[in-house]
PDB file of all heavy atoms in Angstrom:
ATOM      1  N   LYS A   1    -151.410-115.085 -21.506  1.00 73.00           N
ATOM      2  CA  LYS A   1    -151.259-116.169 -20.730  1.00 73.00           C
ATOM      3  C   LYS A   1    -149.729-116.585 -20.687  1.00 73.00           C
ATOM      4  O   LYS A   1    -149.061-116.413 -21.656  1.00 73.00           O
ATOM      5  CB  LYS A   1    -152.000-117.302 -21.188  1.00 73.00           C
ATOM      6  CG  LYS A   1    -152.065-118.535 -20.369  1.00 73.00           C
ATOM      7  CD  LYS A   1    -152.998-119.670 -20.793  1.00 73.00           C
ATOM      8  CE  LYS A   1    -153.088-120.960 -19.788  1.00 73.00           C
ATOM      9  NZ  LYS A   1    -154.045-121.898 -20.461  1.00 73.00           N
ATOM     10  N   LEU A   2    -149.296-116.994 -19.503  1.00 78.00           N
ATOM     11  CA  LEU A   2    -147.948-117.267 -19.358  1.00 78.00           C
ATOM     12  C   LEU A   2    -147.507-118.467 -20.125  1.00 78.00           C
ATOM     13  O   LEU A   2    -148.072-119.630 -19.932  1.00 78.00           O
ATOM     14  CB  LEU A   2    -147.592-117.496 -17.869  1.00 78.00           C
ATOM     15  CG  LEU A   2    -146.017-117.687 -17.512  1.00 78.00           C
ATOM     16  CD1 LEU A   2    -145.338-116.432 -17.746  1.00 78.00           C
ATOM     17  CD2 LEU A   2    -145.919-118.132 -15.962  1.00 78.00           C
ATOM     18  N   PRO A   3    -146.709-118.447 -21.226  1.00 80.00           N
ATOM     19  CA  PRO A   3    -146.436-119.610 -21.974  1.00 80.00           C
ATOM     20  C   PRO A   3    -145.323-120.473 -21.303  1.00 80.00           C
ATOM     21  O   PRO A   3    -144.383-120.095 -20.803  1.00 80.00           O
ATOM     22  CB  PRO A   3    -145.749-118.993 -23.241  1.00 80.00           C
ATOM     23  CG  PRO A   3    -145.152-117.644 -22.904  1.00 80.00           C
ATOM     24  CD  PRO A   3    -146.117-117.209 -21.701  1.00 80.00           C
ATOM     25  N   LEU A   4    -145.678-121.779 -21.299  1.00 84.00           N
ATOM     26  CA  LEU A   4    -144.728-122.740 -20.565  1.00 84.00           C
ATOM     27  C   LEU A   4    -144.570-123.825 -21.500  1.00 84.00           C
ATOM     28  O   LEU A   4    -145.438-124.543 -22.053  1.00 84.00           O
ATOM     29  CB  LEU A   4    -145.415-123.297 -19.361  1.00 84.00           C
ATOM     30  CG  LEU A   4    -145.534-122.114 -18.163  1.00 84.00           C
ATOM     31  CD1 LEU A   4    -146.673-122.636 -17.098  1.00 84.00           C
ATOM     32  CD2 LEU A   4    -144.352-121.880 -17.544  1.00 84.00           C
ATOM     33  N   GLU A   5    -143.269-124.244 -21.607  1.00 85.00           N
ATOM     34  CA  GLU A   5    -142.948-125.479 -22.530  1.00 85.00           C
ATOM     35  C   GLU A   5    -141.579-125.919 -22.172  1.00 85.00           C
ATOM     36  O   GLU A   5    -140.478-125.202 -22.498  1.00 85.00           O
ATOM     37  CB  GLU A   5    -143.049-125.103 -24.092  1.00 85.00           C
ATOM     38  CG  GLU A   5    -142.861-126.398 -24.846  1.00 85.00           C
ATOM     39  CD  GLU A   5    -143.000-126.179 -26.346  1.00 85.00           C
ATOM     40  OE1 GLU A   5    -143.871-125.323 -26.672  1.00 85.00           O
ATOM     41  OE2 GLU A   5    -142.363-126.801 -27.185  1.00 85.00           O
ATOM     42  N   LEU A   6    -141.477-127.125 -21.548  1.00 85.00           N
ATOM     43  CA  LEU A   6    -140.100-127.629 -20.987  1.00 85.00           C
ATOM     44  C   LEU A   6    -139.637-128.524 -22.125  1.00 85.00           C
ATOM     45  O   LEU A   6    -140.347-129.654 -22.396  1.00 85.00           O
ATOM     46  CB  LEU A   6    -140.222-128.342 -19.741  1.00 85.00           C
ATOM     47  CG  LEU A   6    -138.927-128.871 -19.209  1.00 85.00           C
ATOM     48  CD1 LEU A   6    -137.965-127.742 -18.806  1.00 85.00           C
ATOM     49  CD2 LEU A   6    -139.158-129.585 -17.905  1.00 85.00           C
ATOM     50  N   SER A   7    -138.525-128.466 -22.747  1.00 84.00           N
ATOM     51  CA  SER A   7    -138.034-129.265 -23.834  1.00 84.00           C
ATOM     52  C   SER A   7    -137.283-130.408 -23.078  1.00 84.00           C
ATOM     53  O   SER A   7    -136.815-130.345 -21.908  1.00 84.00           O
ATOM     54  CB  SER A   7    -137.064-128.622 -24.653  1.00 84.00           C
ATOM     55  OG  SER A   7    -135.804-128.208 -24.075  1.00 84.00           O
ATOM     56  N   PHE A   8    -137.164-131.523 -23.749  1.00 87.00           N
ATOM     57  CA  PHE A   8    -136.484-132.779 -23.183  1.00 87.00           C
ATOM     58  C   PHE A   8    -134.962-132.519 -22.953  1.00 87.00           C
ATOM     59  O   PHE A   8    -134.358-132.888 -21.999  1.00 87.00           O
ATOM     60  CB  PHE A   8    -136.608-133.929 -24.153  1.00 87.00           C
ATOM     61  CG  PHE A   8    -138.061-134.608 -24.103  1.00 87.00           C
ATOM     62  CD1 PHE A   8    -138.807-134.504 -25.209  1.00 87.00           C
ATOM     63  CD2 PHE A   8    -138.388-135.293 -22.989  1.00 87.00           C
ATOM     64  CE1 PHE A   8    -140.073-134.906 -25.198  1.00 87.00           C
ATOM     65  CE2 PHE A   8    -139.669-135.856 -23.077  1.00 87.00           C
ATOM     66  CZ  PHE A   8    -140.628-135.754 -24.133  1.00 87.00           C
ATOM     67  N   ILE A   9    -134.423-131.672 -23.893  1.00 86.00           N
ATOM     68  CA  ILE A   9    -132.986-131.353 -23.794  1.00 86.00           C
ATOM     69  C   ILE A   9    -132.703-130.556 -22.507  1.00 86.00           C
ATOM     70  O   ILE A   9    -131.721-130.830 -21.862  1.00 86.00           O
ATOM     71  CB  ILE A   9    -132.538-130.535 -25.065  1.00 86.00           C
ATOM     72  CG1 ILE A   9    -132.555-131.436 -26.288  1.00 86.00           C
ATOM     73  CG2 ILE A   9    -131.071-130.066 -24.842  1.00 86.00           C
ATOM     74  CD1 ILE A   9    -132.132-130.733 -27.552  1.00 86.00           C
ATOM     75  N   ASP A  10    -133.602-129.574 -22.305  1.00 85.00           N
ATOM     76  CA  ASP A  10    -133.475-128.712 -21.079  1.00 85.00           C
ATOM     77  C   ASP A  10    -133.604-129.716 -19.795  1.00 85.00           C
ATOM     78  O   ASP A  10    -132.807-129.541 -18.796  1.00 85.00           O
ATOM     79  CB  ASP A  10    -134.337-127.589 -21.058  1.00 85.00           C
ATOM     80  CG  ASP A  10    -133.862-126.600 -21.996  1.00 85.00           C
ATOM     81  OD1 ASP A  10    -132.770-126.458 -22.331  1.00 85.00           O
ATOM     82  OD2 ASP A  10    -134.757-125.695 -22.467  1.00 85.00           O
ATOM     83  N   PHE A  11    -134.608-130.500 -19.855  1.00 89.00           N
ATOM     84  CA  PHE A  11    -134.880-131.312 -18.729  1.00 89.00           C
ATOM     85  C   PHE A  11    -133.663-132.209 -18.456  1.00 89.00           C
ATOM     86  O   PHE A  11    -133.281-132.348 -17.136  1.00 89.00           O
ATOM     87  CB  PHE A  11    -136.140-132.291 -18.945  1.00 89.00           C
ATOM     88  CG  PHE A  11    -136.462-133.152 -17.888  1.00 89.00           C
ATOM     89  CD1 PHE A  11    -136.945-132.691 -16.654  1.00 89.00           C
ATOM     90  CD2 PHE A  11    -136.275-134.556 -17.995  1.00 89.00           C
ATOM     91  CE1 PHE A  11    -137.278-133.682 -15.661  1.00 89.00           C
ATOM     92  CE2 PHE A  11    -136.557-135.519 -17.072  1.00 89.00           C
ATOM     93  CZ  PHE A  11    -137.045-134.962 -15.821  1.00 89.00           C
ATOM     94  N   TYR A  12    -133.236-132.835 -19.388  1.00 89.00           N
ATOM     95  CA  TYR A  12    -132.062-133.899 -19.273  1.00 89.00           C
ATOM     96  C   TYR A  12    -130.841-133.057 -18.733  1.00 89.00           C
ATOM     97  O   TYR A  12    -130.014-133.507 -18.034  1.00 89.00           O
ATOM     98  CB  TYR A  12    -131.773-134.697 -20.477  1.00 89.00           C
ATOM     99  CG  TYR A  12    -132.828-135.689 -20.731  1.00 89.00           C
ATOM    100  CD1 TYR A  12    -133.429-135.827 -21.901  1.00 89.00           C
ATOM    101  CD2 TYR A  12    -133.216-136.663 -19.662  1.00 89.00           C
ATOM    102  CE1 TYR A  12    -134.476-136.838 -22.219  1.00 89.00           C
ATOM    103  CE2 TYR A  12    -134.190-137.587 -19.919  1.00 89.00           C
ATOM    104  CZ  TYR A  12    -134.770-137.703 -21.133  1.00 89.00           C
ATOM    105  OH  TYR A  12    -135.714-138.639 -21.458  1.00 89.00           O
ATOM    106  N   SER A  13    -130.536-131.904 -19.278  1.00 87.00           N
ATOM    107  CA  SER A  13    -129.441-131.063 -18.949  1.00 87.00           C
ATOM    108  C   SER A  13    -129.672-130.600 -17.351  1.00 87.00           C
ATOM    109  O   SER A  13    -128.578-130.701 -16.754  1.00 87.00           O
ATOM    110  CB  SER A  13    -129.473-129.770 -19.787  1.00 87.00           C
ATOM    111  OG  SER A  13    -129.280-130.038 -21.092  1.00 87.00           O
ATOM    112  N   ILE A  14    -130.809-130.352 -16.948  1.00 88.00           N
ATOM    113  CA  ILE A  14    -130.947-129.893 -15.502  1.00 88.00           C
ATOM    114  C   ILE A  14    -130.600-131.208 -14.730  1.00 88.00           C
ATOM    115  O   ILE A  14    -129.966-131.000 -13.683  1.00 88.00           O
ATOM    116  CB  ILE A  14    -132.441-129.553 -15.301  1.00 88.00           C
ATOM    117  CG1 ILE A  14    -132.668-128.144 -16.008  1.00 88.00           C
ATOM    118  CG2 ILE A  14    -132.731-129.357 -13.925  1.00 88.00           C
ATOM    119  CD1 ILE A  14    -134.109-127.766 -16.075  1.00 88.00           C
ATOM    120  N   VAL A  15    -131.237-132.378 -14.955  1.00 89.00           N
ATOM    121  CA  VAL A  15    -131.089-133.522 -14.183  1.00 89.00           C
ATOM    122  C   VAL A  15    -129.678-133.962 -14.223  1.00 89.00           C
ATOM    123  O   VAL A  15    -129.040-134.265 -13.098  1.00 89.00           O
ATOM    124  CB  VAL A  15    -131.975-134.611 -14.705  1.00 89.00           C
ATOM    125  CG1 VAL A  15    -131.649-136.006 -13.993  1.00 89.00           C
ATOM    126  CG2 VAL A  15    -133.391-134.375 -14.614  1.00 89.00           C
ATOM    127  N   LEU A  16    -128.977-134.093 -15.394  1.00 90.00           N
ATOM    128  CA  LEU A  16    -127.574-134.503 -15.432  1.00 90.00           C
ATOM    129  C   LEU A  16    -126.679-133.545 -14.805  1.00 90.00           C
ATOM    130  O   LEU A  16    -125.738-133.925 -14.014  1.00 90.00           O
ATOM    131  CB  LEU A  16    -127.218-134.500 -16.938  1.00 90.00           C
ATOM    132  CG  LEU A  16    -127.707-135.720 -17.717  1.00 90.00           C
ATOM    133  CD1 LEU A  16    -127.414-135.664 -19.188  1.00 90.00           C
ATOM    134  CD2 LEU A  16    -127.404-137.031 -17.077  1.00 90.00           C
ATOM    135  N   GLY A  17    -126.878-132.205 -14.845  1.00 87.00           N
ATOM    136  CA  GLY A  17    -126.082-131.200 -14.149  1.00 87.00           C
ATOM    137  C   GLY A  17    -126.153-131.361 -12.693  1.00 87.00           C
ATOM    138  O   GLY A  17    -125.238-131.216 -11.987  1.00 87.00           O
ATOM    139  N   ALA A  18    -127.465-131.568 -12.186  1.00 88.00           N
ATOM    140  CA  ALA A  18    -127.682-131.717 -10.836  1.00 88.00           C
ATOM    141  C   ALA A  18    -127.027-132.962 -10.212  1.00 88.00           C
ATOM    142  O   ALA A  18    -126.419-132.966  -9.205  1.00 88.00           O
ATOM    143  CB  ALA A  18    -129.191-131.678 -10.395  1.00 88.00           C
ATOM    144  N   VAL A  19    -127.159-134.054 -10.994  1.00 89.00           N
ATOM    145  CA  VAL A  19    -126.546-135.390 -10.723  1.00 89.00           C
ATOM    146  C   VAL A  19    -125.017-135.270 -10.477  1.00 89.00           C
ATOM    147  O   VAL A  19    -124.397-135.715  -9.643  1.00 89.00           O
ATOM    148  CB  VAL A  19    -127.012-136.431 -11.513  1.00 89.00           C
ATOM    149  CG1 VAL A  19    -126.054-137.680 -11.342  1.00 89.00           C
ATOM    150  CG2 VAL A  19    -128.409-136.850 -11.428  1.00 89.00           C
ATOM    151  N   PHE A  20    -124.478-134.509 -11.503  1.00 90.00           N
ATOM    152  CA  PHE A  20    -123.042-134.268 -11.556  1.00 90.00           C
ATOM    153  C   PHE A  20    -122.594-133.528 -10.383  1.00 90.00           C
ATOM    154  O   PHE A  20    -121.553-133.853  -9.747  1.00 90.00           O
ATOM    155  CB  PHE A  20    -122.644-133.516 -12.865  1.00 90.00           C
ATOM    156  CG  PHE A  20    -121.108-133.383 -13.005  1.00 90.00           C
ATOM    157  CD1 PHE A  20    -120.244-134.422 -13.259  1.00 90.00           C
ATOM    158  CD2 PHE A  20    -120.534-132.030 -12.889  1.00 90.00           C
ATOM    159  CE1 PHE A  20    -118.884-134.184 -13.379  1.00 90.00           C
ATOM    160  CE2 PHE A  20    -119.241-131.859 -12.933  1.00 90.00           C
ATOM    161  CZ  PHE A  20    -118.402-132.804 -13.273  1.00 90.00           C
ATOM    162  N   ILE A  21    -123.257-132.563  -9.943  1.00 87.00           N
ATOM    163  CA  ILE A  21    -122.940-131.660  -8.863  1.00 87.00           C
ATOM    164  C   ILE A  21    -123.004-132.481  -7.535  1.00 87.00           C
ATOM    165  O   ILE A  21    -122.123-132.277  -6.569  1.00 87.00           O
ATOM    166  CB  ILE A  21    -123.836-130.526  -8.701  1.00 87.00           C
ATOM    167  CG1 ILE A  21    -123.530-129.482  -9.886  1.00 87.00           C
ATOM    168  CG2 ILE A  21    -123.713-129.720  -7.398  1.00 87.00           C
ATOM    169  CD1 ILE A  21    -124.454-128.259  -9.997  1.00 87.00           C
ATOM    170  N   ILE A  22    -124.016-133.207  -7.439  1.00 88.00           N
ATOM    171  CA  ILE A  22    -124.210-134.162  -6.297  1.00 88.00           C
ATOM    172  C   ILE A  22    -123.067-135.241  -6.129  1.00 88.00           C
ATOM    173  O   ILE A  22    -122.577-135.431  -5.004  1.00 88.00           O
ATOM    174  CB  ILE A  22    -125.641-134.939  -6.367  1.00 88.00           C
ATOM    175  CG1 ILE A  22    -126.688-133.937  -6.204  1.00 88.00           C
ATOM    176  CG2 ILE A  22    -125.676-135.843  -5.199  1.00 88.00           C
ATOM    177  CD1 ILE A  22    -126.716-133.041  -5.090  1.00 88.00           C
ATOM    178  N   ILE A  23    -122.696-135.872  -7.235  1.00 88.00           N
ATOM    179  CA  ILE A  23    -121.519-136.841  -7.195  1.00 88.00           C
ATOM    180  C   ILE A  23    -120.285-136.101  -6.625  1.00 88.00           C
ATOM    181  O   ILE A  23    -119.601-136.708  -5.804  1.00 88.00           O
ATOM    182  CB  ILE A  23    -121.452-137.401  -8.629  1.00 88.00           C
ATOM    183  CG1 ILE A  23    -122.661-138.262  -8.916  1.00 88.00           C
ATOM    184  CG2 ILE A  23    -120.105-138.198  -8.695  1.00 88.00           C
ATOM    185  CD1 ILE A  23    -122.590-138.839 -10.291  1.00 88.00           C
ATOM    186  N   LEU A  24    -120.000-134.942  -7.156  1.00 86.00           N
ATOM    187  CA  LEU A  24    -118.839-134.314  -6.796  1.00 86.00           C
ATOM    188  C   LEU A  24    -118.889-133.926  -5.265  1.00 86.00           C
ATOM    189  O   LEU A  24    -117.926-133.930  -4.591  1.00 86.00           O
ATOM    190  CB  LEU A  24    -118.585-132.969  -7.674  1.00 86.00           C
ATOM    191  CG  LEU A  24    -118.199-133.162  -9.011  1.00 86.00           C
ATOM    192  CD1 LEU A  24    -117.948-131.800  -9.672  1.00 86.00           C
ATOM    193  CD2 LEU A  24    -116.970-133.923  -9.186  1.00 86.00           C
ATOM    194  N   SER A  25    -120.030-133.494  -4.865  1.00 85.00           N
ATOM    195  CA  SER A  25    -120.198-132.995  -3.497  1.00 85.00           C
ATOM    196  C   SER A  25    -120.151-134.270  -2.522  1.00 85.00           C
ATOM    197  O   SER A  25    -119.716-134.038  -1.402  1.00 85.00           O
ATOM    198  CB  SER A  25    -121.495-132.386  -3.318  1.00 85.00           C
ATOM    199  OG  SER A  25    -121.675-131.222  -4.162  1.00 85.00           O
ATOM    200  N   SER A  26    -120.482-135.418  -3.064  1.00 85.00           N
ATOM    201  CA  SER A  26    -120.450-136.629  -2.126  1.00 85.00           C
ATOM    202  C   SER A  26    -119.142-137.183  -2.079  1.00 85.00           C
ATOM    203  O   SER A  26    -118.617-137.935  -1.138  1.00 85.00           O
ATOM    204  CB  SER A  26    -121.538-137.572  -2.614  1.00 85.00           C
ATOM    205  OG  SER A  26    -122.713-137.032  -2.588  1.00 85.00           O
ATOM    206  N   TYR A  27    -118.331-136.984  -3.275  1.00 84.00           N
ATOM    207  CA  TYR A  27    -117.133-137.656  -3.231  1.00 84.00           C
ATOM    208  C   TYR A  27    -115.986-137.229  -2.331  1.00 84.00           C
ATOM    209  O   TYR A  27    -115.318-138.042  -1.679  1.00 84.00           O
ATOM    210  CB  TYR A  27    -116.516-137.629  -4.752  1.00 84.00           C
ATOM    211  CG  TYR A  27    -115.215-138.412  -4.917  1.00 84.00           C
ATOM    212  CD1 TYR A  27    -115.167-139.764  -5.142  1.00 84.00           C
ATOM    213  CD2 TYR A  27    -113.986-137.700  -4.998  1.00 84.00           C
ATOM    214  CE1 TYR A  27    -114.017-140.383  -5.331  1.00 84.00           C
ATOM    215  CE2 TYR A  27    -112.742-138.264  -5.127  1.00 84.00           C
ATOM    216  CZ  TYR A  27    -112.741-139.576  -5.254  1.00 84.00           C
ATOM    217  OH  TYR A  27    -111.549-140.342  -5.374  1.00 84.00           O
ATOM    218  N   TYR A  28    -115.888-135.934  -2.250  1.00 81.00           N
ATOM    219  CA  TYR A  28    -114.842-135.406  -1.333  1.00 81.00           C
ATOM    220  C   TYR A  28    -114.964-135.808   0.095  1.00 81.00           C
ATOM    221  O   TYR A  28    -114.012-136.347   0.800  1.00 81.00           O
ATOM    222  CB  TYR A  28    -114.737-133.807  -1.465  1.00 81.00           C
ATOM    223  CG  TYR A  28    -113.762-133.247  -0.480  1.00 81.00           C
ATOM    224  CD1 TYR A  28    -112.453-133.362  -0.717  1.00 81.00           C
ATOM    225  CD2 TYR A  28    -114.152-132.447   0.565  1.00 81.00           C
ATOM    226  CE1 TYR A  28    -111.452-132.754   0.165  1.00 81.00           C
ATOM    227  CE2 TYR A  28    -113.384-131.856   1.489  1.00 81.00           C
ATOM    228  CZ  TYR A  28    -111.919-132.040   1.183  1.00 81.00           C
ATOM    229  OH  TYR A  28    -111.047-131.453   2.086  1.00 81.00           O
ATOM    230  N   PRO A  29    -116.120-135.600   0.739  1.00 81.00           N
ATOM    231  CA  PRO A  29    -116.274-136.121   2.138  1.00 81.00           C
ATOM    232  C   PRO A  29    -116.042-137.622   2.356  1.00 81.00           C
ATOM    233  O   PRO A  29    -115.500-138.103   3.377  1.00 81.00           O
ATOM    234  CB  PRO A  29    -117.662-135.703   2.546  1.00 81.00           C
ATOM    235  CG  PRO A  29    -118.042-134.598   1.705  1.00 81.00           C
ATOM    236  CD  PRO A  29    -117.369-134.922   0.389  1.00 81.00           C
ATOM    237  N   ALA A  30    -116.542-138.377   1.190  1.00 82.00           N
ATOM    238  CA  ALA A  30    -116.400-139.751   1.355  1.00 82.00           C
ATOM    239  C   ALA A  30    -114.888-140.098   1.368  1.00 82.00           C
ATOM    240  O   ALA A  30    -114.391-141.111   1.980  1.00 82.00           O
ATOM    241  CB  ALA A  30    -117.077-140.549   0.242  1.00 82.00           C
TER     242      ALA A  30
END
């Protein structure tokens, strides 16, 4: 069976990384 387990550290890293990229992408055109 395909083992699946998402850790809190990985989840927060994904969200924070994505948010950081979005902020940078929005700042320059603004």
Side-chain angles (χ1 to χ4, degrees):
K1 191 175 181 180
L2 188 66
L4 295 159
E5 184 174 331
L6 183 66
S7 68
F8 286 109
I9 294 175
D10 286 336
F11 175 72
Y12 287 128
S13 298
I14 292 167
V15 174
L16 289 175
V19 168
F20 180 72
I21 291 171
I22 297 304
I23 290 172
L24 287 181
S25 302
S26 303
Y27 178 79
Y28 176 71

